Amino acid sequence: MNEDTARRPPVTRRGIRTRQALVDAARVIFERDGYLAARLTDITAEAGCSTGTFYTYFNDKEEIFAAVMEATKNEMLHPGMEHVDGVDDPAAIIEASNRAYFDSYRRNAKLMQLLEQVANIDPNVRELRQARSRVFIERNASGIKDLQARGLADPDLDSVMASRALSGMTSRIAFSTFVLNERVDFEELVYTATRLWCNGLRIEHHPSMREATDKS
């Protein structure tokens, strides 16, 4: 997808609603039929609008796929963490973040599978996937840098490289669990990923982490 030719977002309420209906419909069709088999006519039928209306908001299937993935990216970046008692405890925050991320990944597993598949054959989607990864890496690197500045994480680590390693680990284990359907207990997944993050950053473990996991 060429950003220079991408359709501009609508500014009217009606336009915003129509575009969102198309994005919601596209998600249904992509999850049902896959990317390659998905047809624009099926998307417009699901959205209850005409093909002409589709081209008011999107140039092609690739562009609306990018819009669907943008929505999931925003959900997974800001998944709505539960309240964390003791917000100064970095291990507790990492645990809550991992839990929210895995839960969001589980909800979006079909789309994450499609993103991985299409990125292998479409260079534009590959760039979309890479750009998406960079956003997560930069967000996590910022958090690591803040912990280092507060004296709560290993100061000798490069925050970006540490984020690449830990974010990559978290993403791949989520893929294998929720896309490849490996049998993993969800609470054990959260606990293990959190402990590895804490070990990697040399953060003391939240004392009740395992106890809380066992009681869940």
Side-chain angles (χ1 to χ4, degrees):
M1 178 184 64
N2 188 331
E3 292 184 1
D4 295 333
T5 62
R7 302 289 190 188
R8 292 184 178 180
V11 294
T12 66
R13 291 184 179 179
R14 181 178 179 181
I16 292 170
R17 287 197 303 268
T18 302
R19 185 183 186 278
Q20 187 60 51
L22 284 163
V23 172
D24 293 342
R27 173 170 183 150
V28 171
I29 301 304
F30 286 136
E31 289 186 333
R32 186 190 72 191
D33 300 339
Y35 179 80
L36 296 178
R39 300 184 302 175
L40 295 185
T41 53
D42 292 331
I43 293 173
T44 54
E46 179 71 23
C49 64
S50 67
T51 302
T53 299
F54 175 90
Y55 286 113
T56 300
Y57 302 98
F58 301 99
N59 286 312
D60 49 33
K61 182 168 69 173
E62 182 182 305
E63 191 173 324
I64 198 169
F65 181 71
V68 171
M69 295 311 304
E70 179 69 15
T72 67
K73 181 191 77 176
N74 291 334
E75 177 190 340
M76 294 172 74
L77 270 174
H78 311 287
M81 290 166 44
E82 295 181 1
H83 174 72
V84 179
D85 292 327
V87 292
D88 289 333
D89 182 352
I93 295 173
I94 290 171
E95 180 183 13
S97 298
N98 281 335
R99 181 181 300 280
Y101 175 80
F102 287 136
D103 192 44
S104 179
Y105 201 108
R106 178 166 54 185
R107 291 194 301 271
N108 293 288
K110 289 184 178 179
L111 288 176
M112 300 308 296
Q113 181 179 22
L114 282 179
L115 180 62
E116 191 81 8
Q117 291 173 344
V118 181
N120 288 327
I121 59 175
D122 187 323
N124 290 324
V125 176
R126 187 178 308 125
E127 172 55 32
L128 171 69
R129 181 182 181 279
Q130 291 171 335
R132 178 190 177 93
S133 295
R134 286 193 293 270
V135 171
F136 281 86
I137 289 169
E138 289 168 3
R139 189 276 304 269
N140 291 337
S142 177
I144 292 170
K145 192 171 183 178
D146 177 66
L147 290 174
Q148 291 172 318
R150 294 161 57 196
L152 299 174
D154 187 347
D156 294 329
L157 287 172
D158 179 273
S159 60
V160 175
M161 285 302 300
S163 177
R164 284 184 181 277
L166 293 168
S167 301
M169 172 198 72
T170 306
S171 175
R172 295 316 297 177
I173 195 172
F175 183 86
S176 65
T177 301
F178 303 117
V179 174
L180 301 182
N181 294 317
E182 293 185 355
R183 293 190 176 184
V184 177
D185 178 78
F186 185 82
E187 295 300 328
E188 191 64 31
L189 174 68
V190 172
Y191 172 77
T192 302
T194 300
R195 182 149 189 165
L196 290 172
W197 269 82
C198 291
N199 286 347
L201 298 175
R202 292 173 62 185
I203 294 172
E204 291 187 11
H205 304 150
H206 185 43
S208 62
M209 188 188 304
R210 169 58 85 177
E211 180 183 354
T213 301
D214 291 341
K215 290 181 179 178
S216 301

